[in-house]
Amino acid sequence: MAEPDLFSYSSPPPPETRIRELRSELERHNRLYYTQATPEISDAEYDKLFRELEDLETKHPEFADPNSPTQRVGGQPIEGFQQLRHLVPMLSIDDVFELSEEGMKEAGADRPEKELVDFYQRLRKGLGREDIAVTVEPKIDGVAVSLVYRNGELAYAATRGDGTTGDDITHNVRTIRSIPLSLHSKSEIPALLEIRGEIFMPNEAFAAMNAERDEAGLPTFANPRNATAGTLKQLDPKITAQRPLAFLAHGLGAYDGPELSSEHDFHELLETLGIPRNHPVIDASGLDEVLAAVAEIDKLRHDLDYGTDGAVIKVLDRAEREKLGFTSRAPRWAAAYKFLPEQKETKLENITIQVGRTGVLTPVAELTPVLISGSTVSRATLHNQDEIDRKGIHIGATVLVEKAGEIIPAVVKVTHAVEGAKTYSIFEEVDGCCPSCRGPIAQEEGFVAWRCTNFQCPAQAVTRISHFASRKALDIDGLGGTVAEALVRHELCHTPLDLFDLGEETLADLNLGSDEAPRRFGEKNAAKVVAALGRARSKPLDRWLFAMGIRQVGESASKELARLHETLADVAKSQILAELRKDTRADAKKKNEFLAAYQISGDVGPAVAESVTMFFSSDAGRHVLARLDELGIHPKAENFLPKPAEADITDMPLAGKTIVLTGTLGVDRDEMKRLLESKGAKVSGSVSKNTDYLVAGEGGGSKRDKAEKLGVTIIDEETVRGMIS
Ligand code: IVH
């Protein structure tokens, strides 16, 4: 090798070279950590490399790359989803079901796996052979995606959509750590690679995220699939980056690369390229082996870290797949075998009534414990009175219980009734009173659930306090579900307004843990909460109305109520709401004449009017008004403008104007929205011919295009500020 010249030791590599080095090194560590689970460096060392790359990229924007590992924290929000056409359609798979006893009788089947056997027979017939080699793997309960790599670089990612076109979700997919942004391989990298797979939230990470959200006072997700789907619909990838999404590949779309003759070759390719793939995959040939493999997956699936309710069976050989071909909606060479949820008979010993956090009374079956799908079941929800009636449920009966996937156990039906027993009645059992507070219960019109109507019911205290403190209500930073729960448990708060009586010291001493393992809330957190409570005192009327958690009164209704009324007292004795509640048939004309001047939006109608009126005329409502008076809290509407047409134009320069915001503004978009609304504007999310102005910050693509097309006036932030100052 030639002697190095004098300078090569002292001068650092040119930035472009170092940037390239760092990117490939960071992606390699990413692969080692997320795909191979064999990390070579510590988190701190990774962070150091990451920061070096970030610095260089900031100094040299000319070398920016959307596939740089720095983009995993999320780039700019997008304005809306573009549609992308899949290179090869994303088909679904035909389901074949495990049959229940009834199902078997109906189909004249001699075994639960009949539909699976039929599928295998079709393969035999199609290929004219007995033993056809297949693979069997778990069916992932996630959201299907298609990833397109061109020359080893992630080009884009799309949802399934209608199978032909889907949403472009590249901005979100880039934040998923287990998805490589650039492929790395010692052998040939395919020029084109369209990978199909599922994005999902691992069960444990999902549970941890939900617990954290609850603590922060944010709404929780119903299940991992919903959480995944909701996250992928985010326009802002910075939010997605904070959610624990994962990816596993299971299929191939368009492809231009080294020959793949079987599913094994495909798996090998994924492994060489560092793309995570689904496990376990069992090889099987011949009907007996297929049935055994499916039974094995059924056993193993309970230990996987994602939800699954079936096994996917695919023909191994790609040439054989081609021979079998497709129906109009699915390949003939694959099937998804859906497991029957395991069911057991047991005795219904008792029914207890739980009062939920929103006051709903839920009947719960107390059962003689039975083992179902690997865990003991001793309780199951009975949902509501309708369900109980439909199934004729009564104490002492023998019932059939099932547990499907991670879903909570359910009572399917009564198998042996107690002779002469009467169907259980919730109302009779609790004597018309809430089991938690003895307050009255009611069944709202159109709802089947019985609900406790007492605002002070202790079973509802935690929810009411969490809601009161949540970001969109009074934004009491630091007061989430856990703190609310501890405050109620230690009897420091019964209703949200009790928060204002708490001293900083009491709060600091609050034990969030248990007696055995105490955990103090602490001075710093206490000070934060007290400061936020101080700020809440002067929050506008709409935020207070929303915070009160009056049924039917959400964010938009609160805003509209605050436009129509200046103070809480005005809402409590509102003429407008009284008119809205009136039966239209009696004197529709008069009612309409009265209401016309107020130009009331659809957000406040008779149901809202009814609910608000009931609330303020109840003991609870009167108590709230009196307590607020005592506390010296008098929320005022900042968007008060009851009769837009007659309004004082000098104070409301944007009255009657519909405005849409786009691009990056100097202030937070929510803040700008509030400012404009306080000046009488209606701020809408999308441009239409009714839009008066589009306020455009930096960036802003599709809304600007639409505004231009419709001839909507486009102004900048400075101009709109000039209009209101
Ligand atoms: S193979 C031609 N394997 O389930 C389609 N799909 O209900 C071949 N899915 O569209 C797909 N886990 O989105 C395959 N291990 C797995 C899967 C799987 C989940 C999804 C996939 C498919 C849908 C059909």
Side-chain angles (χ1 to χ4, degrees), residues 38-58:
T38 52
E40 281 176 9
I41 58 172
S42 69
D43 288 3
E45 284 167 305
Y46 183 93
D47 288 346
K48 204 168 145 225
L49 294 175
F50 191 90
R51 271 196 303 274
E52 186 188 342
L53 177 58
E54 254 181 344
D55 281 351
L56 279 173
E57 286 181 349
T58 316

Side-chain angles (χ1 to χ4, degrees), residues 91-93 95 137-140 144 160 197-198 250 278 312 314 331 333:
L91 298 177
S92 64
I93 326 180
D95 287 331
E137 63 187 281
K139 183 167 192 303
I140 307 160
R160 178 207 301 277
E198 306 287 308
H250 57 55
N278 194 19
V312 179
K314 303 177 206 173
W333 46 263

Side-chain angles (χ1 to χ4, degrees), residues 120-163:
Y120 200 73
Q121 301 292 21
R122 283 196 296 276
L123 294 182
R124 283 173 166 165
K125 211 168 145 212
L127 294 172
R129 270 192 310 113
E130 276 299 287
D131 291 349
I132 291 133
V134 296
T135 55
V136 184
E137 63 187 281
K139 183 167 192 303
I140 307 160
D141 190 13
V143 174
V145 282
S146 185
L147 311 176
V148 172
Y149 291 91
R150 289 192 200 276
N151 300 318
E153 291 289 313
L154 178 70
Y156 61 85
T159 59
R160 178 207 301 277
D162 63 5

Side-chain angles (χ1 to χ4, degrees), residues 563-579:
R563 180 182 71 79
L564 296 165
H565 307 88
E566 197 165 17
T567 66
L568 265 183
D570 293 346
V571 179
K573 53 176 201 311
S574 168
Q575 256 301 299
I576 303 174
L577 297 181
E579 276 306 320

